[in-house]
């Protein structure tokens, strides 16, 4: 591993000053970054440790719940306000990684984690995300874990997070600090599709810092569910996952939120399927129709065609759990 410098700036402003230099990376839990460094996928000159910044709080706001970027995944998943207001987020967090990793991983770090495409981690293989212009090892390779939505000729990788799928479904907002002050962007717009620049995972500028996320209040707490389908029950990334949230009143669905993981370069919101459910009864039949609508535009590669069946079945199953009709 290449030698690097480690610094721990005293304040958030000092961190913002430090990260303007190229070759600099922020470290919090380090659960992904250290792996990437050990395997030579990334080789920063300097690590900027932010663990001591006061960004761990989970606090109610006028219209929602603020979660600091340094709140640990394990802490968020067991927080009383999260369990009461957004149990879907707790389920999504508990579906991710292992208890040991969740005890180190932060909310901001979870958002910044990189794909688990095996060709990205294998530095002997071509990968446009690791080394732009070298090609995509997965395109003609063993692409069982890869995307069925939103891929490009450059990259067919998927985003690995469960937490992010939950936050995308819950209309969360990302709060970002920069030299010019704070900005807020919808969570669904934080990550990007690969297009011609798969090396860029998200819309965070190099001199910006995630300081938190905010989830607006909603009526989904009673009817939400996170379903993760994976090769083993723990410590495995999703083949397909679904975050489903329903606002049911008088026997009809007033609002629906659906997002998927394991299928695209970013958490994949299913807007048309959501719309199709509004005003309908929460029945298995209506859920199956929504699941079929969600699959429009899906495209498989040689080894992941099974996702074209697994995904709609998972959507339907997650909706049944959310509605309590299993
Ligand atoms: Fe690299 Fe993306 Fe291709 Fe994987 S899918 S090898 S991350 S370019």
């Amino acid at each position: 591993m290449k030698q690097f410098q480690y610094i721990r700036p005293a304040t958030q402003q000092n961190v913002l000053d430090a990260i303007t230099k190229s070759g600099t990376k922020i470290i919090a839990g380090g659960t992904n970054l250290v792996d990437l460094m050990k395997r030579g996928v990334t080789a920063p000159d300097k690590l900027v440790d932010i663990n001591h910044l006061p960004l761990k709080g989970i606090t109610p706001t006028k219209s929602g719940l603020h979660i600091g970027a340094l709140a640990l995944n394990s802490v968020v998943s067991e927080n009383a306000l999260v369990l009461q207001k957004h149990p879907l987020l707790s389920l999504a967090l508990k579906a991710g990684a292992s208890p040991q990793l969740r005890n180190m991983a932060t909310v901001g770090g979870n958002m910044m984690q990189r794909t688990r495409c095996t060709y990205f981690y294998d530095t002997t293989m071509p990968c446009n995300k690791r080394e732009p212009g070298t090609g995509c090892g997965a395109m003609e390779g063993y692409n069982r874990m890869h995307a069925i939505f939103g891929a490009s000729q450059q990259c067919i990788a998927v985003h690995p997070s469960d937490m992010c799928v939950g936050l995308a479904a819950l209309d969360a907002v990302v709060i970002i600090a920069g030299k010019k002050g704070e900005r807020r962007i919808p969570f669904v717009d934080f990550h990007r599709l690969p297009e011609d620049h798969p090396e860029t995972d998200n819309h965070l500028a190099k001199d910006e810092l995630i300081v938190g996320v905010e989830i607006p209040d909603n009526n989904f707490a009673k009817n939400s569910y996170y379903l993760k389908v994976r090769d083993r029950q723990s410590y495995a990334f999703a083949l397909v996952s679904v975050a489903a949230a329903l606002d049911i009143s008088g026997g009809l669905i007033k609002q629906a939120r659906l997002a998927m993981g394991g299928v695209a370069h970013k958490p994949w919101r299913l807007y048309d399927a959501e719309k199709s459910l509004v005003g309908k009864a929460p029945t298995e039949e209506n859920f199956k129709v929504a699941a079929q609508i969600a699959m429009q535009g899906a495209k498989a590669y040689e080894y992941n065609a099974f996702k074209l069946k697994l995904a709609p079945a998972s959507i339907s199953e997650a909706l049944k759990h959310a509605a309590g009709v299993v």
Side-chain angles (χ1 to χ4, degrees):
M1 188 159 70
K2 188 183 121 181
Q3 287 208 337
F4 59 89
Q5 201 189 346
Y6 167 89
I7 60 168
R8 205 168 194 246
T11 66
Q12 183 172 306
Q13 187 55 50
N14 296 152
V15 168
L16 290 173
D17 291 338
I19 59 177
T20 54
K21 313 244 167 36
S22 65
T24 303
K25 288 229 179 272
I26 289 171
I27 186 160
T31 56
N32 186 211
L33 179 60
V34 174
D35 279 347
L36 292 166
M37 290 171 66
K38 284 196 287 194
R39 298 180 68 160
V41 178
T42 189
D45 299 319
K46 188 186 283 186
L47 290 186
V48 180
D49 187 343
I50 61 168
N51 280 297
H52 55 292
L53 296 183
L55 299 173
K56 290 190 170 77
I58 302 173
T59 49
T61 65
K62 269 189 200 155
S63 56
L65 185 67
H66 176 96
I67 303 174
L70 288 172
L72 297 178
N73 286 187
S74 54
V75 171
V76 179
S77 71
E78 293 295 351
N79 177 269
L81 285 170
V82 171
L83 288 166
Q84 178 204 329
K85 287 169 168 265
H86 308 295
L88 169 59
L89 176 59
S90 176
L91 286 176
L93 280 162
K94 287 176 183 169
S98 64
Q100 292 90 337
L101 286 166
R102 294 196 293 271
N103 272 332
M104 288 299 292
T106 63
V107 167
N110 192 320
M111 292 165 62
M112 295 300 290
Q113 66 178 304
R114 308 214 66 194
T115 184
R116 265 40 177 211
C117 171
T118 48
Y119 300 94
F120 174 69
Y121 281 78
D122 183 346
T123 54
T124 65
M125 295 298 294
C127 172
N128 289 323
K129 186 180 279 296
R130 175 171 26 80
E131 208 175 328
T134 55
C136 171
M139 196 74 73
E140 304 295 329
Y142 189 52
N143 41 39
R144 178 172 177 267
M145 299 296 288
H146 289 72
I148 54 172
F149 291 111
S152 74
Q153 285 303 311
Q154 300 287 318
C155 178
I156 60 173
V158 298
H159 195 264
S161 171
D162 293 293
M163 179 199 80
C164 291
V165 179
L167 288 172
L170 293 169
D171 298 319
V173 171
V174 187
I175 306 161
I176 294 167
K179 287 261 178 192
K180 293 179 192 151
E182 257 184 30
R183 70 182 177 109
R184 299 162 76 94
I185 58 171
F187 199 92
V188 286
D189 295 333
F190 180 79
H191 297 97
R192 59 182 296 285
L193 291 177
E195 298 172 337
D196 288 338
H197 288 286
E199 71 278 12
T200 309
D201 293 342
N202 55 60
H203 292 286
L204 189 75
K206 285 197 181 342
D207 58 354
E208 290 182 318
L209 173 71
I210 301 167
V211 293
V213 294
E214 194 167 310
I215 309 173
D217 288 335
N218 58 49
N219 291 321
F220 298 131
K222 267 197 292 185
N223 294 107
S224 61
Y225 194 72
Y226 189 75
L227 177 73
K228 180 173 180 179
V229 183
R230 49 191 152 170
D231 286 328
R232 56 173 183 250
Q233 195 52 33
S234 175
Y235 195 40
F237 293 98
L239 293 164
V240 161
S241 68
V242 182
L246 298 170
D247 175 1
I248 301 172
S249 173
L252 295 175
I253 298 168
K254 289 178 74 181
Q255 288 190 82
R257 297 288 183 275
L258 284 166
M260 291 192 85
V263 296
H265 198 256
K266 58 186 285 185
W268 191 251
R269 268 289 286 268
L270 312 174
Y271 294 108
D272 290 340
E274 291 172 9
K275 274 187 217 144
S276 79
L277 288 166
V278 175
K280 304 268 172 57
T283 63
E284 185 170 4
E285 200 170 88
N286 287 331
F287 294 156
K288 282 186 174 165
V289 171
Q292 287 311 318
I293 290 170
M295 295 307 293
Q296 284 166 12
K299 179 191 167 196
Y301 296 85
E302 186 172 359
Y303 293 99
N304 71 350
F306 70 95
K307 289 193 183 184
L308 299 180
K309 286 187 179 167
L310 182 62
S314 301
I315 295 167
S316 188
E317 192 66 16
L319 283 165
K320 280 162 59 183
H321 279 278
V325 295
V326 282

